[in-house]
Amino acid sequence: MDTHNKAMQKVLEKIEDDLEYVSIEDLISVSGYSYYHFHRIFKAYTGETLNKYIKRILLEKALHAMQMDKENITAIAMKSGYNTPSAFNKAFKEMFGVNPSQYKENLKPKRKEYADIKPVRIETIEAIPVYMIRHVGDYSRLDSIWEKLISFATKHKLFNRHFYAYAIAYDNPDISDNTKLRYDACISKTKEIQNAPLQSKYLEGGKYAVFLHKGTHEKLVDTYDAIFGNWFYKNDISFRDMPVIQKFLNNKKETSKEELLTEVYVPIV
């Protein structure tokens, strides 16, 4: 089962890393499965056909791009794999119930004032090696995942001054189906563990604007709103096409929720 999970996680990472141009041949090669069985295995694992999965992720990214309001609909359609705006409009309406222009227009009166926020620093980091577990589903049901990671770190004595916990929440609960939300729970790979039952990966290096969130993790949404609803609009910012990274600075049992500190790494050009 672990071998199967690792193979499918590699497939999903390949899709996410090369969403616009990924080929079935590449995915089959990554998975190690036969061409004749790959599609059935993928559907059984994700609950969706490969085409439907890719289409959904692309359209959800398109909706997010419209919320950011820095590209026109035609450009977003092209990036989403549609050769014509009409084809994009049809697919978008089928998924979200309104066409793109209606959705974008409806955003205007809903825009509100958000808290003022500034990054604590802008920095360029190296890629970070981590052990990870992928969770798919409600973001509020993550306790067992983190317990498994911390138990693994304790057993293998991974804790040192370079050890941190990280998370990547790929999807917006306001956009994506709650049962399909993707979340990578990660811990520092402070040493190599032979035949580790967990997947290894690298958190991507590069330039980031780093923000500090103080308080409960449930309130992280307020910091995200301030970043993308205030700082983003007030500054000439271009994002790299990759997800935000959360770094938990003091996530210990004895730390009260009000004293929790989380750095939010926003990838920028």
Side-chain angles (χ1 to χ4, degrees):
M1 180 59 72
D2 283 343
T3 300
H4 172 61
N5 285 337
K6 286 181 179 179
M8 294 311 298
Q9 284 305 316
K10 288 180 180 178
V11 169
L12 298 185
E13 282 189 13
K14 178 66 176 175
I15 292 172
E16 290 156 9
D17 290 344
D18 200 14
L19 188 56
E20 295 175 45
Y21 307 105
V22 70
S23 70
I24 181 64
E25 291 80 10
D26 288 342
L27 297 179
I28 290 171
S29 176
V30 165
S31 74
Y33 294 123
S34 160
Y35 172 85
Y36 300 101
H37 303 299
F38 174 80
H39 286 285
R40 288 192 177 93
I41 293 169
F42 185 91
K43 185 176 180 182
Y45 189 80
T46 64
E48 298 175 285
T49 65
L50 176 62
N51 286 340
K52 186 174 181 181
Y53 181 89
I54 292 175
K55 176 182 176 181
R56 175 175 63 81
I57 299 299
L58 280 167
L59 286 171
E60 288 173 353
K61 285 188 70 174
L63 187 145
H64 181 69
M66 278 187 278
Q67 290 179 330
M68 294 299 95
D69 199 27
K70 287 204 169 183
E71 287 186 297
N72 62 47
I73 292 174
T74 299
I76 292 171
M78 298 298 109
K79 284 188 176 182
S80 301
Y82 293 88
N83 293 325
T84 65
S86 60
F88 175 68
N89 289 351
K90 181 180 178 182
F92 190 95
K93 187 170 184 179
E94 285 177 355
M95 185 165 183
F96 299 114
V98 295
N99 64 44
S101 58
Q102 288 173 325
Y103 179 82
K104 200 165 185 179
E105 184 63 28
N106 289 339
L107 284 174
K108 293 179 181 178
K110 295 179 182 178
R111 203 174 299 286
K112 62 180 183 180
E113 292 298 318
Y114 295 102
D116 192 26
I117 194 169
K118 293 180 180 179
V120 293
R121 64 185 181 276
I122 305 290
E123 70 170 321
T124 299
I125 66 172
E126 299 293 327
I128 303 169
V130 295
Y131 292 109
M132 63 154 280
I133 299 176
R134 167 65 63 90
H135 168 84
V136 178
D138 195 327
Y139 284 158
S140 66
R141 298 178 179 177
L142 294 164
D143 288 351
S144 63
I145 301 294
W146 283 111
E147 286 170 6
K148 184 175 180 180
L149 279 169
I150 297 305
S151 175
F152 174 83
T154 302
K155 177 181 178 180
H156 295 285
K157 298 180 172 60
L158 297 183
F159 296 104
N160 61 31
R161 64 189 181 90
H162 301 294
F163 179 93
Y164 289 100
Y166 301 88
I168 299 177
Y170 289 90
D171 303 303
N172 184 339
D174 295 332
I175 297 173
S176 305
D177 186 318
N178 216 33
T179 63
K180 295 182 172 65
L181 300 174
R182 297 164 297 154
Y183 180 99
D184 288 348
C186 309
I187 55 174
S188 300
K189 189 177 183 179
T190 54
K191 65 179 178 180
E192 190 75 39
I193 307 298
Q194 295 299 319
N195 301 315
L198 304 182
Q199 183 179 349
S200 297
K201 69 176 288 184
Y202 282 88
L203 303 181
E204 190 166 330
K207 189 176 180 181
Y208 289 86
V210 184
F211 298 83
L212 183 64
H213 170 81
K214 298 179 181 179
T216 67
H217 297 152
E218 290 80 8
K219 292 285 188 179
L220 270 166
V221 64
D222 295 336
T223 295
Y224 276 76
D225 284 345
I227 293 169
F228 292 99
N230 187 320
W231 178 74
F232 173 77
Y233 280 98
K234 290 181 178 179
N235 297 274
D236 185 17
I237 302 299
S238 294
F239 295 125
R240 286 185 288 137
D241 189 19
M242 56 175 292
V244 171
I245 299 171
Q246 299 169 12
K247 179 180 181 180
F248 305 114
L249 300 183
N250 61 344
N251 197 26
K252 299 178 181 178
K253 286 186 177 180
E254 62 269 22
T255 306
S256 71
K257 287 188 175 182
E258 292 71 24
E259 294 174 331
L260 290 173
L261 298 174
T262 306
E263 288 186 333
V264 179
Y265 282 68
V266 179
I268 59 174
V269 174

